[in-house]
Amino acid sequence: MAFPVHRMRRLRGSDAIRRMVRETVLRVDQLIQPFFVVEGTEVANPVSSMPGVYQLSIDRLIPEVKKTHELGIPAVLLFGIPAHKDPVGSEAYSDQGIIQRAVREIKAQVPDILVITDVCLCEYTDHGHCGVVKDGRVLNDPTLELLAKEAVSHAKAGADIVAPSDMMDGRVKAIREALDGEGFTEIPILSYAVKYASAFYGPFRDAAESAPQFGDRKTYQMDPANVREALKEAASDLEEGADMLMVKPALPYLDVIRVVRDAFPQVPLVAYNVSGEYSLIKAAAKMGWIDEERVMMEALTGIKRAGADIIITYFAMEVATLLQ
Ligand code: PBG
């Protein structure tokens, strides 16, 4: 049946009817705000490639986390930049590490917000890779033990959810066993299951000071050309005990989000709207080329429409402010 019986415009004529028939709605409850934590006091270093994003010392982080909580955002995701880096990323699993201290302070001051910690070594190693390096290669199995130690130390500090982003094979199982062994049987694992070797992480590596000092991450992160492989990654992480799955980046991979959503309806699906996606919008807005607010909302709505339940985004506080 076509025109003139059907006129699509009938359901588009007013804000009220558009609201009523809207299929996808962004909810503050489903946003996660990332933060970068550094040593020191009264530090708020702007990240030049990410306008509005700062490296914050713990004392400056707390008020931001309070604001996040007051806006109704349920969770923050923490990245740590340690004072000292070494080949095995010791600060990543030190109980006095930057993340461990930040988590304890947030839990003391803003106990109701969920603290998610990124479990990885790249911010803590002097070579900038996500695992142990030998003869120029990133070794998978010896890295697992360190990641498991890191996850346990985050849990001990009070983290509510751990999120391994390293892309070593078998790390979800190693982390689950280690957490369970220490009595943390109820700490969920949000697995960066489907994580691509993406150029869209560029600005993040400025913020987290985690660019690899040689080579790249293509031997452990996924090839951007692959989608069937995403199903294998997701299936194996679920089998190993992941409670939630993530696809990352988001906007260039909306098809991947859809495929993973349809294949694994049993778990919450998280999408990471990464640094480069954020910076592109901020840069074009700064040039006056786009309407920042509308582009931001359209991009995030697109990520939800593709099938993500939850979105990690540097825009979270802006979106929450807008939705209030
Ligand atoms: C690695 C990690 C990265 C991001 C989150 N965790 C960078 C990488 O893999 O190089 C990227 C997030 C972003 O770009 O916003 N620990």
mmCIF file of all heavy atoms in Angstrom, residues 188-213:
data_model
loop_
_atom_site.group_PDB
_atom_site.id
_atom_site.type_symbol
_atom_site.label_atom_id
_atom_site.label_comp_id
_atom_site.label_asym_id
_atom_site.label_seq_id
_atom_site.Cartn_x
_atom_site.Cartn_y
_atom_site.Cartn_z
ATOM 1 N N PRO A 188 31.288 -8.024 38.849
ATOM 2 C CA PRO A 188 31.108 -8.358 37.427
ATOM 3 C C PRO A 188 32.319 -7.983 36.568
ATOM 4 O O PRO A 188 33.064 -7.058 36.903
ATOM 5 C CB PRO A 188 29.912 -7.501 37.001
ATOM 6 C CG PRO A 188 29.385 -6.836 38.208
ATOM 7 C CD PRO A 188 30.418 -6.919 39.274
ATOM 8 N N ILE A 189 32.473 -8.702 35.473
ATOM 9 C CA ILE A 189 33.491 -8.372 34.472
ATOM 10 C C ILE A 189 32.800 -7.807 33.231
ATOM 11 O O ILE A 189 31.959 -8.462 32.618
ATOM 12 C CB ILE A 189 34.326 -9.613 34.088
ATOM 13 C CG1 ILE A 189 35.075 -10.147 35.314
ATOM 14 C CG2 ILE A 189 35.301 -9.274 32.957
ATOM 15 C CD1 ILE A 189 35.838 -11.444 35.053
ATOM 16 N N LEU A 190 33.157 -6.581 32.914
ATOM 17 C CA LEU A 190 32.713 -5.965 31.665
ATOM 18 C C LEU A 190 33.874 -6.122 30.696
ATOM 19 O O LEU A 190 34.902 -5.459 30.849
ATOM 20 C CB LEU A 190 32.385 -4.477 31.896
ATOM 21 C CG LEU A 190 32.346 -3.555 30.675
ATOM 22 C CD1 LEU A 190 31.393 -4.060 29.610
ATOM 23 C CD2 LEU A 190 31.961 -2.143 31.080
ATOM 24 N N SER A 191 33.724 -7.023 29.763
ATOM 25 C CA SER A 191 34.840 -7.335 28.882
ATOM 26 C C SER A 191 34.849 -6.458 27.637
ATOM 27 O O SER A 191 33.842 -6.355 26.932
ATOM 28 C CB SER A 191 34.756 -8.804 28.466
ATOM 29 O OG SER A 191 35.625 -9.025 27.394
ATOM 30 N N TYR A 192 36.007 -5.827 27.377
ATOM 31 C CA TYR A 192 36.217 -5.183 26.074
ATOM 32 C C TYR A 192 36.401 -6.353 25.103
ATOM 33 O O TYR A 192 37.519 -6.674 24.712
ATOM 34 C CB TYR A 192 37.490 -4.360 26.071
ATOM 35 C CG TYR A 192 37.517 -3.033 26.796
ATOM 36 C CD1 TYR A 192 37.504 -2.958 28.181
ATOM 37 C CD2 TYR A 192 37.620 -1.839 26.071
ATOM 38 C CE1 TYR A 192 37.604 -1.718 28.833
ATOM 39 C CE2 TYR A 192 37.720 -0.603 26.712
ATOM 40 C CZ TYR A 192 37.710 -0.560 28.097
ATOM 41 O OH TYR A 192 37.826 0.658 28.729
ATOM 42 N N ALA A 193 35.301 -6.997 24.758
ATOM 43 C CA ALA A 193 35.384 -8.255 24.017
ATOM 44 C C ALA A 193 35.766 -8.018 22.562
ATOM 45 O O ALA A 193 36.577 -8.736 21.983
ATOM 46 C CB ALA A 193 34.051 -8.986 24.104
ATOM 47 N N VAL A 194 35.130 -7.006 21.990
ATOM 48 C CA VAL A 194 35.297 -6.748 20.555
ATOM 49 C C VAL A 194 35.959 -5.382 20.421
ATOM 50 O O VAL A 194 35.310 -4.350 20.350
ATOM 51 C CB VAL A 194 33.937 -6.782 19.834
ATOM 52 C CG1 VAL A 194 34.111 -6.528 18.346
ATOM 53 C CG2 VAL A 194 33.229 -8.116 20.090
ATOM 54 N N LYS A 195 37.286 -5.428 20.455
ATOM 55 C CA LYS A 195 38.038 -4.171 20.448
ATOM 56 C C LYS A 195 38.984 -4.158 19.253
ATOM 57 O O LYS A 195 39.825 -5.046 19.096
ATOM 58 C CB LYS A 195 38.823 -4.050 21.756
ATOM 59 C CG LYS A 195 39.716 -2.826 21.801
ATOM 60 C CD LYS A 195 40.327 -2.629 23.174
ATOM 61 C CE LYS A 195 41.324 -1.489 23.148
ATOM 62 N NZ LYS A 195 41.936 -1.259 24.456
ATOM 63 N N TYR A 196 38.801 -3.152 18.436
ATOM 64 C CA TYR A 196 39.555 -3.065 17.190
ATOM 65 C C TYR A 196 40.853 -2.283 17.354
ATOM 66 O O TYR A 196 40.946 -1.387 18.207
ATOM 67 C CB TYR A 196 38.684 -2.415 16.110
ATOM 68 C CG TYR A 196 37.565 -3.340 15.661
ATOM 69 C CD1 TYR A 196 36.331 -3.338 16.297
ATOM 70 C CD2 TYR A 196 37.780 -4.253 14.631
ATOM 71 C CE1 TYR A 196 35.315 -4.207 15.904
ATOM 72 C CE2 TYR A 196 36.776 -5.125 14.226
ATOM 73 C CZ TYR A 196 35.547 -5.103 14.873
ATOM 74 O OH TYR A 196 34.555 -5.971 14.486
ATOM 75 N N ALA A 197 41.824 -2.581 16.502
ATOM 76 C CA ALA A 197 43.082 -1.813 16.442
ATOM 77 C C ALA A 197 42.770 -0.533 15.675
ATOM 78 O O ALA A 197 42.972 -0.437 14.476
ATOM 79 C CB ALA A 197 44.160 -2.632 15.737
ATOM 80 N N SER A 198 42.253 0.451 16.397
ATOM 81 C CA SER A 198 41.634 1.615 15.748
ATOM 82 C C SER A 198 42.470 2.876 15.881
ATOM 83 O O SER A 198 43.025 3.173 16.941
ATOM 84 C CB SER A 198 40.258 1.853 16.393
ATOM 85 O OG SER A 198 39.709 3.068 15.945
ATOM 86 N N ALA A 199 42.489 3.653 14.812
ATOM 87 C CA ALA A 199 43.143 4.967 14.840
ATOM 88 C C ALA A 199 42.308 5.974 15.630
ATOM 89 O O ALA A 199 42.785 7.066 15.943
ATOM 90 C CB ALA A 199 43.361 5.470 13.416
ATOM 91 N N PHE A 200 41.074 5.600 15.932
ATOM 92 C CA PHE A 200 40.201 6.496 16.706
ATOM 93 C C PHE A 200 40.606 6.607 18.186
ATOM 94 O O PHE A 200 39.993 7.345 18.924
ATOM 95 C CB PHE A 200 38.737 6.036 16.596
ATOM 96 C CG PHE A 200 38.093 6.410 15.289
ATOM 97 C CD1 PHE A 200 38.254 5.622 14.160
ATOM 98 C CD2 PHE A 200 37.320 7.562 15.173
ATOM 99 C CE1 PHE A 200 37.671 5.959 12.952
ATOM 100 C CE2 PHE A 200 36.728 7.916 13.971
ATOM 101 C CZ PHE A 200 36.903 7.117 12.855
ATOM 102 N N TYR A 201 41.622 5.819 18.616
ATOM 103 C CA TYR A 201 42.086 5.941 20.006
ATOM 104 C C TYR A 201 43.169 7.012 20.151
ATOM 105 O O TYR A 201 43.688 7.207 21.252
ATOM 106 C CB TYR A 201 42.677 4.613 20.528
ATOM 107 C CG TYR A 201 41.801 3.395 20.367
ATOM 108 C CD1 TYR A 201 42.374 2.132 20.208
ATOM 109 C CD2 TYR A 201 40.417 3.497 20.383
ATOM 110 C CE1 TYR A 201 41.586 0.998 20.056
ATOM 111 C CE2 TYR A 201 39.626 2.372 20.227
ATOM 112 C CZ TYR A 201 40.216 1.120 20.057
ATOM 113 O OH TYR A 201 39.457 0.002 19.900
ATOM 114 N N GLY A 202 43.532 7.669 19.051
ATOM 115 C CA GLY A 202 44.643 8.630 19.073
ATOM 116 C C GLY A 202 44.587 9.622 20.221
ATOM 117 O O GLY A 202 45.526 9.712 21.021
ATOM 118 N N PRO A 203 43.496 10.391 20.357
ATOM 119 C CA PRO A 203 43.445 11.384 21.434
ATOM 120 C C PRO A 203 43.504 10.762 22.833
ATOM 121 O O PRO A 203 44.098 11.342 23.737
ATOM 122 C CB PRO A 203 42.093 12.085 21.206
ATOM 123 C CG PRO A 203 41.765 11.834 19.763
ATOM 124 C CD PRO A 203 42.348 10.488 19.452
ATOM 125 N N PHE A 204 42.952 9.576 23.004
ATOM 126 C CA PHE A 204 43.031 8.876 24.302
ATOM 127 C C PHE A 204 44.477 8.653 24.708
ATOM 128 O O PHE A 204 44.841 8.791 25.871
ATOM 129 C CB PHE A 204 42.315 7.519 24.216
ATOM 130 C CG PHE A 204 42.497 6.638 25.430
ATOM 131 C CD1 PHE A 204 41.561 6.637 26.455
ATOM 132 C CD2 PHE A 204 43.605 5.797 25.555
ATOM 133 C CE1 PHE A 204 41.725 5.830 27.574
ATOM 134 C CE2 PHE A 204 43.775 4.980 26.662
ATOM 135 C CZ PHE A 204 42.831 4.997 27.668
ATOM 136 N N ARG A 205 45.297 8.301 23.722
ATOM 137 C CA ARG A 205 46.695 8.005 24.061
ATOM 138 C C ARG A 205 47.436 9.262 24.502
ATOM 139 O O ARG A 205 48.400 9.175 25.252
ATOM 140 C CB ARG A 205 47.365 7.277 22.903
ATOM 141 C CG ARG A 205 46.754 5.884 22.752
ATOM 142 C CD ARG A 205 47.298 5.089 21.585
ATOM 143 N NE ARG A 205 46.519 3.857 21.402
ATOM 144 C CZ ARG A 205 46.645 3.045 20.369
ATOM 145 N NH1 ARG A 205 47.513 3.321 19.420
ATOM 146 N NH2 ARG A 205 45.913 1.951 20.295
ATOM 147 N N ASP A 206 46.978 10.447 24.072
ATOM 148 C CA ASP A 206 47.499 11.707 24.647
ATOM 149 C C ASP A 206 47.033 11.817 26.091
ATOM 150 O O ASP A 206 47.813 12.139 26.987
ATOM 151 C CB ASP A 206 46.934 12.941 23.913
ATOM 152 C CG ASP A 206 47.398 13.021 22.467
ATOM 153 O OD1 ASP A 206 48.423 12.388 22.146
ATOM 154 O OD2 ASP A 206 46.733 13.724 21.680
ATOM 155 N N ALA A 207 45.743 11.562 26.304
ATOM 156 C CA ALA A 207 45.151 11.732 27.634
ATOM 157 C C ALA A 207 45.744 10.749 28.632
ATOM 158 O O ALA A 207 46.016 11.092 29.781
ATOM 159 C CB ALA A 207 43.635 11.557 27.562
ATOM 160 N N ALA A 208 45.952 9.509 28.197
ATOM 161 C CA ALA A 208 46.411 8.461 29.105
ATOM 162 C C ALA A 208 47.922 8.245 29.016
ATOM 163 O O ALA A 208 48.475 7.429 29.742
ATOM 164 C CB ALA A 208 45.680 7.156 28.807
ATOM 165 N N GLU A 209 48.575 8.977 28.120
ATOM 166 C CA GLU A 209 50.026 8.844 27.920
ATOM 167 C C GLU A 209 50.400 7.372 27.734
ATOM 168 O O GLU A 209 51.280 6.859 28.405
ATOM 169 C CB GLU A 209 50.777 9.486 29.101
ATOM 170 C CG GLU A 209 50.438 10.966 29.266
ATOM 171 C CD GLU A 209 51.058 11.618 30.496
ATOM 172 O OE1 GLU A 209 51.937 10.996 31.116
ATOM 173 O OE2 GLU A 209 50.653 12.750 30.822
ATOM 174 N N SER A 210 49.677 6.730 26.822
ATOM 175 C CA SER A 210 49.814 5.276 26.692
ATOM 176 C C SER A 210 50.117 4.814 25.274
ATOM 177 O O SER A 210 49.858 3.678 24.921
ATOM 178 C CB SER A 210 48.518 4.610 27.169
ATOM 179 O OG SER A 210 47.450 4.946 26.289
ATOM 180 N N ALA A 211 50.667 5.713 24.438
ATOM 181 C CA ALA A 211 50.978 5.289 23.063
ATOM 182 C C ALA A 211 52.107 4.264 23.095
ATOM 183 O O ALA A 211 53.063 4.405 23.856
ATOM 184 C CB ALA A 211 51.394 6.498 22.231
ATOM 185 N N PRO A 212 52.008 3.210 22.276
ATOM 186 C CA PRO A 212 53.094 2.228 22.245
ATOM 187 C C PRO A 212 54.384 2.888 21.750
ATOM 188 O O PRO A 212 54.353 3.685 20.819
ATOM 189 C CB PRO A 212 52.597 1.166 21.268
ATOM 190 C CG PRO A 212 51.437 1.748 20.541
ATOM 191 C CD PRO A 212 50.908 2.873 21.370
ATOM 192 N N GLN A 213 55.506 2.566 22.397
ATOM 193 C CA GLN A 213 56.786 3.184 22.042
ATOM 194 C C GLN A 213 57.432 2.535 20.824
ATOM 195 O O GLN A 213 58.355 3.080 20.248
ATOM 196 C CB GLN A 213 57.741 3.146 23.242
ATOM 197 C CG GLN A 213 57.202 3.911 24.450
ATOM 198 C CD GLN A 213 56.887 5.381 24.140
ATOM 199 O OE1 GLN A 213 57.752 6.131 23.707
ATOM 200 N NE2 GLN A 213 55.626 5.787 24.318
#
